[in-house]
């Protein structure tokens, strides 16, 4: 068997789970033996959750790209590592073998090195979904630089904040990106982000859209020119930098309940072992299978299950540049048939959006290559689960509902395809190595009695190899965010149910983090952006149930002038101005679905906004806003209710 650690039965899952909890070091140490290490680790695990400090395979020396590329060359160098399907179905797709990918990564590693990139340097990557994005990511890992991929939908201001936080010295970008009918001018956004920047030395620009760009002498370089230099020198290999298992591999920014996004840091060894292990087990990957994860590499799902998990397993990973509805709503199904995709991994929001087009787009599609379907990013409702299973999977493919987070590196709770039971809308069982508990508001572990289903805040008692190690440049923030709410435990920020079988159902965030179409948005961050608009006095943002996006964004805004009508225009015009501000400060993904102008917000006497009341109103549950007697001015509630959108 190609993956000796691939679980093959429910009984084996139970046995492995038991072993992993009794002896985590023994369990993960054995799995880690299946990878290429230049030197074995000194100790499998060393940890405490008070600092917090987590070290896996410390002293072990490796380069993750030797595991993703070099070690596959001999046996299946001619196998496709990556299939790329462009945005426009008329454009030709690309198939890149392991040999070819190895060579391209080596060449770009030389480009990075020639331009001064060294081990530990931070490289910001802001590109569309083209193979060069994965190549840039892997080349950073090969030279030992820390990549920080920023999703192409973020604004110049967001990039500037991230560049500053990471003190990044290099950027890899594209002239532009194709996404559906749109053409996003990435380089131009980077140029704006660099106004006033003092750290960035070089910007490497890959050609994709041929949108006009301004190339600044001494700073900006074309990817293709740099590659040509390496080619003329006849360089095809690049000796990978030797990394410690605990050296940082990447930073990925994500939103929390307070302040600016934080830079989640993952390290080389543990992250590699964990993404590979979960990839192989959750999807039950078999050699030769075509794996299609529809996420963007700008999010953790893309890092773990387009790039590192699949490639470290020698799999064929499919990279799709476009969107599910362009040129029409059969795009995913056409791709599945075109490449005979075996595993399809997408988000509930995409499924719900495609459901809205009816069964027409599925007509005449075979989809008979599919073996496993997966979802990720947000709770999946039963209706969407059944539609996916029935109309896409033809009742013949297990559906895995994978629950995890940017901070967890890989999947923590999920069924394993065809191995452990699937229950619609339940993520079900924890991966081996994970002791998950539910706690009440006071931090008391909720003990299950008999057959009852319990409900509480989801926490984890100990480390797994893929856990974040710190938040970049601010370890204390990591401690307070994840390890201080419930001392001795990692707090996920999610609420969950646990039933008599030990299955978990995730009910959603219990903190001030929204999950809109599977994208994480902090309410505080969004309020800060809204408050920057000159006419805004104050604002409060909450989520509400949304049929397609899972959660929609509802903003309550106190605007100077009377109820959104001032000399600058009508309420509708002011809404557009606010959206423009949000697009500038964060990105278009954070635009509210509803903006209601109010004259006051429900506040306690100490000035705290009672979001609970706003949430009820946004949900439309006007009669159940609860006790409002502690408010400074209870009359605002009536006014807000009357103005509900
Ligand atoms: C939050 C993490 C994991 C990659 C994509 C999102 C929610 C994620 C599920 C699921 C219910 C889910 C949680 C989590 N979430 N997967 N299968 N069922 N909720 O990563 O941006 O870090 O967001 O997404 O609320 O905390 P992220």
């Amino acid at each position: 068997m190609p993956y000796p650690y691939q679980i093959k039965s429910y009984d084996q899952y139970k046995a492995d789970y038991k072993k992993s909890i009794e002896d985590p070091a023994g369990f993960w140490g054995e799995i880690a033996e299946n990878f290429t290490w230049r030197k074995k680790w000194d100790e499998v695990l060393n940890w405490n959750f008070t600092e917090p400090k987590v070290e896996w395979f410390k002293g072990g020396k490796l380069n993750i790209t030797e595991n993703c590329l070099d070690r596959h060359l001999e046996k299946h160098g001619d196998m496709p590592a990556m299939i790329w399907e462009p945005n426009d179905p008329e454009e030709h797709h690309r198939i890149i073998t392991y040999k070819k990918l190895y060579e391209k990564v080596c060449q770009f590693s030389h480009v990075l090195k020639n331009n001064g990139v060294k081990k530990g340097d931070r490289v910001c990557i802001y590109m569309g979904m083209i193979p060069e994005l994965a190549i840039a990511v892997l080349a950073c890992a090969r030279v030992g630089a820390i990549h920080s991929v920023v999703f192409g939908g973020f604004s110049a201001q967001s990039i500037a904040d991230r560049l500053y936080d990471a003190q990044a010295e290099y950027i890899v970008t594209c002239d532009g990106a194709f996404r559906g009918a749109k053409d996003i001018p990435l380089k131009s956004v980077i140029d704006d982000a660099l106004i006033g920047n003092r750290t960035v030395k070089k910007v490497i620009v890959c050609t994709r859209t041929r949108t006009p760009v301004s190339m600044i002498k001494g700073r900006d370089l074309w990817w293709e020119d740099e590659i040509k230099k390496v080619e003329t020198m006849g360089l095809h290999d690049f000796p990978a930098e030797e990394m410690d298992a605990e050296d940082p591999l990447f930073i990925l920014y994500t939103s929390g309940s307070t302040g600016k996004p934080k830079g989640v840091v993952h390290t080389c060894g543990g992250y590699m072992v964990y993404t590979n292990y979960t990839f192989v087990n959750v999807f039950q990957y078999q050699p030769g299978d075509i794996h299609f994860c529809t996420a963007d590499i700008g999010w953790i799902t893309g890092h773990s299950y387009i790039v590192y998990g699949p490639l470290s397993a020698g799999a064929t990973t499919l990279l799709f540049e476009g969107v599910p509805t362009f040129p029409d709503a059969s795009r995913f199904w056409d791709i599945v048939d075109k490449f005979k995709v075996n595993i399809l991994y997408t988000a509930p929001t995409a499924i719900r959006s495609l459901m809205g087009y009816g069964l027409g787009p599925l007509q005449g599609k075979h989809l008979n290559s599919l073996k496993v379907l997966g979802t990720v990013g947000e709770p999946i409702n039963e209706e969407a689960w059944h539609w996916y299973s029935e109309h896409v999977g033809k009742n013949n493919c297990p559906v895995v509902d994978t629950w995890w987070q940017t901070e967890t590196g890989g999947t923590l709770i999920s069924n394993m395809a065809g191995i452990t039971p699937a229950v619609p809308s339940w993520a079900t069982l924890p991966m081996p190595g994970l002791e998950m508990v539910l706690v009440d508001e006071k931090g008391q572990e909720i003990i299950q009695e008999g057959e009852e289903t319990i409900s509480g805040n989801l926490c984890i008692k100990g480390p797994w190899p893929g856990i974040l190690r710190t938040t970049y440049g601010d370890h204390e923030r990591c401690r307070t965010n994840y390890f201080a709410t419930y001392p001795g435990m990692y707090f996920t920020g999610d609420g969950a149910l646990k039933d008599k079988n030990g299955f978990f159902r995730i009910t959603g965030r219990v903190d001030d983090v929204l999950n809109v179409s599977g994208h994480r948005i902090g309410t505080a961050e969004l309020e800060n952006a809204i408050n920057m608009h000159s006419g805004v006095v104050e604002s409060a943002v909450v989520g509400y149930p949304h049929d397609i996006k899972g959660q929609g964004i509802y903003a309550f805004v106190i605007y100077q002038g009377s109820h959104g009508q001032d000399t600058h225009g009508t309420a509708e015009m002011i809404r557009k101005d606010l959206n423009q501000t949000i697009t500038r400060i964060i990105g278009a993904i954070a635009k509210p679905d509803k903006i209601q102008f109010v004259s006051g917000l429900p506040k306690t006497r100490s000035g705290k906004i009672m979001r609970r009341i706003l949430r009820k109103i946004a949900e439309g549950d006007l009669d159940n806003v609860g006790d409002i007697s502690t408010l400074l001015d209870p009359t605002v509630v009536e006014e807000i209710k009357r103005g509900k959108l």
Side-chain angles (χ1 to χ4, degrees):
M1 188 166 69
Y3 310 112
Y5 45 88
Q6 191 171 53
I7 293 173
K8 289 276 120 203
S9 68
Y10 196 10
D11 282 342
Q12 192 193 342
Y13 162 80
K14 289 177 190 158
D16 282 15
Y17 183 83
K18 185 163 179 282
K19 179 176 173 204
S20 73
I21 301 299
E22 285 166 5
D23 177 18
F27 180 80
W28 291 109
E30 210 172 285
I31 290 162
E33 298 281 353
N34 294 282
F35 294 80
T36 300
W37 299 85
R38 297 242 186 115
K39 175 184 164 284
K40 265 292 261 303
W41 49 89
D42 302 324
E43 203 180 357
V44 173
L45 174 61
N46 179 16
W47 70 286
N48 72 69
F49 273 178
T50 32
E51 292 178 56
K53 173 165 119 177
V54 178
E55 291 173 343
W56 284 95
F57 315 113
K58 179 93 176 152
K61 303 292 177 195
L62 78 161
N63 187 290
I64 194 168
T65 69
E66 290 187 335
N67 286 275
C68 290
L69 301 168
D70 309 43
R71 69 165 170 160
H72 308 308
L73 295 182
E74 203 180 307
K75 275 208 191 126
H76 41 257
D78 295 322
M79 241 190 61
M82 189 173 285
I83 298 174
W84 176 71
E85 171 67 13
N87 182 57
D88 177 354
E90 302 291 308
E91 188 182 341
H92 216 281
H93 66 269
R94 286 165 67 183
I95 292 180
I96 304 171
T97 62
Y98 269 95
K99 256 188 212 149
K100 201 72 202 159
L101 186 61
Y102 165 84
E103 187 178 297
K104 284 181 176 293
V105 169
C106 285
Q107 288 181 330
F108 197 64
S109 300
H110 279 290
V111 170
L112 291 175
K113 189 179 168 201
N114 291 345
N115 284 289
V117 179
K118 303 179 305 299
K119 177 175 177 174
D121 288 348
R122 276 80 52 222
V123 179
C124 170
I125 302 178
Y126 186 67
M127 300 171 84
M129 285 283 283
I130 55 175
E132 284 68 21
L133 165 52
I135 291 165
V137 162
L138 291 164
C140 284
R142 196 156 181 97
V143 305
I146 303 170
H147 56 76
S148 162
V149 184
V150 178
F151 173 63
F154 281 112
S155 68
Q157 182 65 54
S158 295
I159 300 166
D161 293 344
R162 286 158 172 76
L163 289 172
Y164 179 77
D165 188 81
Q167 293 288 295
E169 292 179 306
Y170 304 91
I171 297 178
V172 187
T173 188
C174 295
D175 48 359
F178 295 123
R179 254 179 88 78
K182 285 191 226 133
D183 175 342
I184 304 151
L186 297 177
K187 173 60 165 61
S188 154
V189 178
I190 288 291
D191 289 339
D192 287 344
L194 285 177
I195 297 170
N197 175 285
R198 289 161 175 278
T199 56
V200 172
K201 297 183 201 154
K202 292 275 168 71
V203 180
I204 301 173
V205 186
C206 183
T207 311
R208 173 62 184 133
T209 55
R210 240 8 227 113
T211 315
V213 291
S214 139
M215 297 293 282
I216 301 298
K217 197 179 292 164
R219 187 194 74 184
D220 299 351
L221 307 155
W222 287 109
W223 172 298
E224 295 77 12
D225 291 349
E226 294 301 297
I227 289 288
K228 228 170 254 144
K229 287 187 207 162
V230 173
E231 271 172 354
T232 24
M233 290 165 77
L235 299 168
H236 301 282
D237 301 291
F238 183 97
E241 183 74 27
E242 184 166 290
M243 308 294 282
D244 190 277
E246 281 300 332
D247 282 336
L249 173 64
F250 66 84
I251 305 172
L252 187 57
Y253 285 87
T254 191
S255 295
S257 48
T258 53
K260 292 241 160 96
K262 38 190 186 279
V264 167
V265 175
H266 285 286
T267 55
C268 299
Y271 176 80
M272 170 183 75
V273 170
Y274 197 71
T275 52
N276 176 291
Y277 179 82
T278 49
F279 172 73
V280 162
N281 279 297
V282 170
F283 301 111
Q284 289 289 306
Y285 187 85
Q286 299 304 319
D289 281 353
I290 312 287
H291 174 77
F292 177 19
C293 166
T294 71
D296 192 288
I297 293 179
W299 307 111
I300 190 70
T301 309
H303 282 59
S304 301
Y305 300 118
I306 295 178
V307 182
Y308 290 112
L311 295 178
S312 67
T316 301
T317 184
L318 196 154
L319 198 79
F320 172 44
E321 185 183 37
V323 296
T325 50
F326 179 86
D328 58 48
S330 56
R331 194 68 169 105
F332 278 0
W333 324 132
D334 288 335
I335 295 174
V336 168
D337 281 353
K338 178 172 175 186
F339 299 107
K340 306 212 172 355
V341 167
N342 305 108
I343 304 167
L344 175 65
Y345 189 33
T346 194
T349 187
I351 299 167
R352 288 191 298 261
S353 139
L354 292 171
M355 274 170 75
Y357 290 83
L359 295 177
L362 281 153
Q363 236 147 53
K365 314 296 168 192
H366 298 293
L367 305 182
N368 48 3
S369 55
L370 287 172
K371 297 201 288 194
V372 174
L373 301 176
T375 81
V376 59
E378 42 170 328
I380 181 161
N381 47 310
E382 288 201 32
E383 196 193 351
W385 195 101
H386 285 294
W387 188 88
Y388 194 34
S389 173
E390 193 177 321
H391 298 293
V392 182
K394 316 280 186 207
N395 293 319
N396 214 6
C397 302
V399 176
V400 292
D401 177 356
T402 67
W403 173 85
W404 56 296
Q405 311 178 299
T406 303
E407 294 85 347
T408 71
T411 297
L412 298 194
I413 305 182
S414 174
N415 49 315
M416 293 181 178
I419 302 295
T420 67
V423 185
S425 86
W426 288 69
T428 71
L429 292 165
M431 292 294 116
L434 283 135
E435 214 175 333
M436 323 278 313
V437 289
L438 298 181
V439 299
D440 65 18
E441 299 295 320
K442 294 188 209 89
Q444 282 298 320
E445 185 174 335
I446 301 167
I447 306 295
Q448 210 166 9
E449 293 185 27
E451 304 235 309
E452 67 173 346
T453 295
I454 53 171
S455 152
N457 291 345
L458 186 62
C459 290
I460 307 167
K461 278 190 166 170
W464 61 99
I467 189 175
L468 86 162
R469 301 301 195 267
T470 189
T471 44
Y472 194 78
D474 192 350
H475 194 61
E476 177 57 13
R477 194 166 176 206
C478 173
R479 191 186 69 80
T480 51
N481 257 287
Y482 307 106
F483 300 92
T485 318
Y486 303 112
M489 287 189 267
Y490 170 87
F491 176 41
T492 63
D494 279 305
L497 304 178
K498 185 184 180 190
D499 75 1
K500 60 174 196 274
N501 301 308
F503 292 0
F504 289 90
R505 176 191 192 145
I506 309 300
T507 49
R509 302 288 305 197
V510 294
D511 53 6
D512 290 322
V513 171
L514 306 183
N515 190 328
V516 181
S517 300
H519 298 159
R520 236 161 107 168
I521 295 165
T523 52
E525 193 188 341
L526 182 46
E527 287 162 7
N528 288 340
I530 295 173
N531 296 348
M532 283 178 78
H533 190 81
S534 69
V536 173
V537 179
E538 202 180 0
S539 64
V541 169
V542 296
Y544 70 96
H546 187 287
D547 284 349
I548 291 173
K549 299 177 175 185
Q551 256 187 325
I553 305 177
Y554 199 124
F556 297 89
V557 176
I558 306 176
Y559 196 85
Q560 238 165 33
S562 52
H563 304 248
Q565 308 264 337
D566 75 355
T567 49
H568 296 295
T570 63
E572 213 30 61
M573 288 161 89
I574 295 164
R575 284 194 183 97
K576 285 187 181 152
D577 289 346
L578 287 174
N579 278 329
Q580 189 63 18
T581 304
I582 293 160
T583 304
R584 283 263 170 215
I585 305 294
I586 302 176
I589 54 170
K591 280 197 284 192
D593 299 273
K594 294 181 180 177
I595 299 176
Q596 180 181 345
F597 295 105
V598 297
S599 65
L601 291 167
K603 285 189 180 172
T604 60
R605 287 189 185 86
S606 59
K608 197 171 163 289
I609 297 173
M610 297 280 276
R611 282 162 197 288
R612 168 177 63 77
I613 295 172
L614 295 175
R615 252 181 242 124
K616 283 287 176 194
I617 295 174
E619 278 168 25
D621 196 0
L622 301 186
D623 297 329
N624 290 308
V625 295
D627 182 19
I628 59 169
S629 62
T630 55
L631 293 181
L632 189 61
D633 175 13
T635 61
V636 295
V637 176
E638 274 314 308
E639 182 220 296
I640 299 174
K641 280 191 195 173
R642 272 197 305 276
K644 154 123 188 28
L645 299 172

